[in-house]
Amino acid sequence: MSHETVYAIASGKGGVGKTTTTVNLGTALAQAGERVAIVDTDLGMANLAGFVSLTPDSMTLHDVLSGAASIDDAIYSVTENIVAVPSGTSLDEYADTSPEGLREVVSELRDRFDYVFLDVGAGVNHETVLPLGLADSVILVSTPEPAAVHDSKKTLELTERAGGTVAGLVVTRTLPDSDISHEEIATRLETDLLGTIPEDAAARESVYAGTPLIVYEPNGPAATAYRQLAADLAGIDIPDSSGADEEVTELGDESESESSSAADSDGDRGEREAAHDDVSSAITEAESDS
């Protein structure tokens, strides 16, 4: 297994597929038996609250960073081997947070899970830059569009200033008949090309179905690409559709006792089973606003 287990998934521009990349990489590794945590570190414009269908009084990362809750209180089981730590959506709660607390959160999750994916907000602010330095490596996500590539350069520079390391670039929404060289884009950014994710109509369909793409359309081109990317990152074999767990059809459709396999065996983790009703709207918002 790769020695790198905490990845920040970052982009300088919203709408490039950052959250979709986070969800599908995490799901692919979970299907392979790895214990995965997805953390919404976009404290100001959180997207994953709907991902786990929180009630108004649910605990989130905001509560953890304000000292009102422990990390156990903000961990929600999604499906087998994978949990989510969402941020809150209240501006009042955001004002009470201390982003520096992310250091302790990441450190604790690193010890408890095989892989941790930090879904980083776009833009330039303290809570955006901080995760770039806390992760083992940063995965840049960009479409081939010039504006997105330009903003990826800014994120790369921010990572360097934060003392972080860029693992490489993932180019999403690629077209087979395009004359754009994705290797050249990575070369211009002075980083490695980790993979390309082709344009796939099933990607948006999976959002409205409330199901990760690699479960919704496992043999599709984008799902295949995400599975390969996960395998390359972890240095392990990722099961294809014939080897995947057939019972995992939707996020949050299994019992709490089954999903507890994502936790360590050292006591109650405070995890709750997540409903999947609002997954579609959450990811749609993430891809359009983050």
Side-chain angles (χ1 to χ4, degrees):
M1 183 176 70
S2 169
H3 68 284
E4 296 177 340
T5 62
V6 179
Y7 289 95
I9 313 299
S11 62
K13 187 177 185 300
V16 299
K18 176 175 56 64
T19 299
T20 293
T21 296
T22 301
V23 169
N24 282 283
L25 285 181
T27 303
L29 290 174
Q31 285 183 342
E34 303 293 331
R35 297 169 303 162
V36 179
I38 296 174
V39 186
D40 189 348
T41 63
D42 189 351
L43 303 180
M45 298 291 289
N47 296 305
L48 291 184
F51 182 64
V52 290
S53 300
L54 299 185
T55 59
D57 60 347
S58 297
M59 295 296 180
T60 69
L61 185 58
H62 280 180
D63 297 295
V64 177
L65 298 182
S66 68
S70 70
I71 184 61
D72 292 299
D73 297 325
I75 292 177
Y76 296 82
S77 296
V78 177
T79 190
E80 186 176 7
N81 293 332
I82 186 169
V83 303
V85 182
S87 284
T89 57
S90 166
L91 291 178
D92 290 335
E93 291 176 351
Y94 167 65
D96 292 334
T97 62
S98 174
E100 287 297 328
L102 279 173
R103 296 182 185 277
E104 184 176 347
V105 169
V106 171
S107 177
E108 188 164 350
L109 293 176
R110 181 195 297 275
D111 291 339
R112 292 172 138 184
F113 293 88
D114 298 318
Y115 289 92
V116 179
F117 291 98
L118 309 177
D119 192 1
V120 183
V124 180
N125 51 57
H126 183 52
E127 62 260 28
T128 295
V129 176
L130 184 59
L132 303 179
L134 296 179
D136 294 328
S137 285
V138 176
I139 297 175
L140 299 176
V141 180
S142 177
T143 65
E145 297 300 320
V149 174
H150 178 72
D151 286 346
S152 293
K153 178 65 174 177
K154 295 179 182 177
T155 302
L156 189 149
E157 293 172 352
L158 287 173
T159 301
E160 293 175 347
R161 294 187 183 187
T165 302
V166 173
L169 173 71
V170 174
V171 183
T172 60
R173 304 189 68 177
T174 62
L175 300 173
D177 56 351
S178 172
D179 58 358
I180 297 174
S181 169
H182 307 120
E183 288 283 359
E184 183 178 337
I185 292 175
T187 298
R188 279 165 37 202
L189 292 173
E190 298 181 344
T191 192
D192 296 327
L193 180 65
L194 298 178
T196 59
I197 311 298
E199 182 73 71
D200 189 341
R204 182 155 293 277
E205 292 172 8
S206 72
V207 170
Y208 290 107
T211 307
L213 175 62
I214 66 168
V215 176
Y216 179 80
E217 189 65 49
N219 294 319
T224 300
Y226 274 126
R227 202 159 42 242
Q228 184 61 55
L229 176 59
D232 292 343
L233 285 176
I236 61 175
D237 291 330
I238 301 294
D240 58 19
S241 58
S242 60
D245 185 350
E246 294 180 357
E247 294 182 0
V248 181
T249 56
E250 287 186 319
L251 296 175
D253 73 343
E254 62 179 45
S255 70
E256 184 165 356
S257 61
E258 290 170 334
S259 62
S260 64
S261 62
D264 289 343
S265 58
D266 57 349
D268 181 13
R269 296 285 302 278
E271 299 173 6
R272 270 82 49 199
E273 183 66 15
H276 62 270
D277 295 347
D278 295 329
V279 171
S280 301
S281 60
I283 300 179
T284 300
E285 291 173 5
E287 300 308 2
S288 60
D289 299 334
S290 65

